[in-house]
Amino acid sequence: MEDRVREALLRQAERTPPAGPVLAALHRPRRDRKPLLLALATATAVVAAIVATAVVSRPVATLPAGSTAPTAVSTAVTTTSGPPLPEVALTHSPGWVPEGYYEFERSYEAGGLFRRWAPRAGGIEVLTFRVAPATPQSPEAVVLANAAPQDRTTVNGRPAVFTGDSSGLLWQPDASWYVSLSWQGVVDFRASATRVAESVRPDATKVRAPLSLDGSGYFTFTTAGGAWSAQVTTTRGGAGYTLALTTGDGGSGTPTTVRARGRDAVHRETEWGYLAVPLAPDRYLVVTGHNRRASVEELVEVADAALVDPHPDLSWLGR
């Protein structure tokens, strides 16, 4: 039930009209979550055990010589021929979040790198942490410069500003980055957000995209109800597709067997088209059309072309 409430809160935040460009990034543009939620609904006992036994701990920040830009770099892990999967640096991480909170989502997209925490006990609070590169066109500079006096503050001695009727906090820890956070449902946002912000330090840890199509680097990796799913929405030849690496085949409709990635796969006639390719007993590559129906031939072609990490990093889930 808490997962449903938390998802409803996330959707509500995504529908809220932003107060400005920064808040639009903080609350992330609304996107189609149906394939992701479908995958999360198919929790497996193996993954449930992993999440249930995870030890609650705080992210430990490292201190690199300098910040690392979130651009794609090479790695050799893939299950099919082609270029390596892209990576992105965390760049900054909080050293403290409230006791009992766990990280349940990471996503890399046009607005920057997003991370989300929620209470393990089942509350509806959602802490969203975002890092974005500073550029001459960054709207964050305008927000910091034009903030009302009552909204101005500091984070580790750097100018900062409370945004969105005190539901967001934005600051620039150095010349290369903007960091912001929002916290849905928390009591005394300003004090709580400031404590998290003051704990933030540079972090050069690299995050590898769990899957990619034709060099796409954006992804969303999330967990709920004991299952996890990594999702990519991108285009190929002008057509949209959603790919998900999931813990189960949660598709509905009459299945037919087709060949994809050199093995038997399940195709289902659905609104957007659906193909599930088993990669391991608890791992599937699911491909659908994005807001359009894709033929079985298209789905097989995309599945064959996808790069997939056979062993995605799960160490951060539930921590």
Side-chain angles (χ1 to χ4, degrees), residues 50-168:
I50 292 173
V51 175
T53 58
V55 178
V56 178
S57 62
R58 305 285 71 83
V60 178
T62 58
L63 295 174
S67 299
T68 304
T71 53
V73 297
S74 294
T75 175
V77 180
T78 179
T79 61
T80 187
S81 60
L85 286 160
E87 286 184 340
V88 60
L90 294 180
T91 75
H92 292 79
S93 289
W96 178 88
V97 296
E99 184 67 26
Y101 271 56
Y102 71 101
E103 190 173 2
F104 70 91
E105 180 176 304
R106 288 181 177 179
S107 63
Y108 178 49
E109 49 197 80
L113 179 67
F114 293 77
R115 300 167 66 183
R116 287 188 169 89
W117 285 263
R120 187 178 298 278
I124 61 174
E125 299 90 349
V126 175
L127 169 61
T128 299
F129 180 84
R130 166 184 172 261
V131 179
T135 70
Q137 294 76 35
S138 294
E140 290 89 345
V142 177
V143 175
L144 284 169
N146 297 331
Q150 65 271 22
D151 292 330
R152 294 182 182 276
T153 184
T154 60
V155 171
N156 293 325
R158 303 282 295 183
V161 59
F162 290 106
T163 62
D165 296 326
S166 292
S167 64

Side-chain angles (χ1 to χ4, degrees), residues 280-306:
D282 64 341
R283 202 147 306 177
Y284 290 78
L285 171 64
V286 175
V287 184
T288 69
H290 180 64
N291 292 334
R292 53 175 289 275
R293 185 183 181 281
S295 68
V296 61
E297 292 80 12
E298 290 179 81
L299 298 175
V300 168
E301 180 182 344
V302 169
D304 287 343

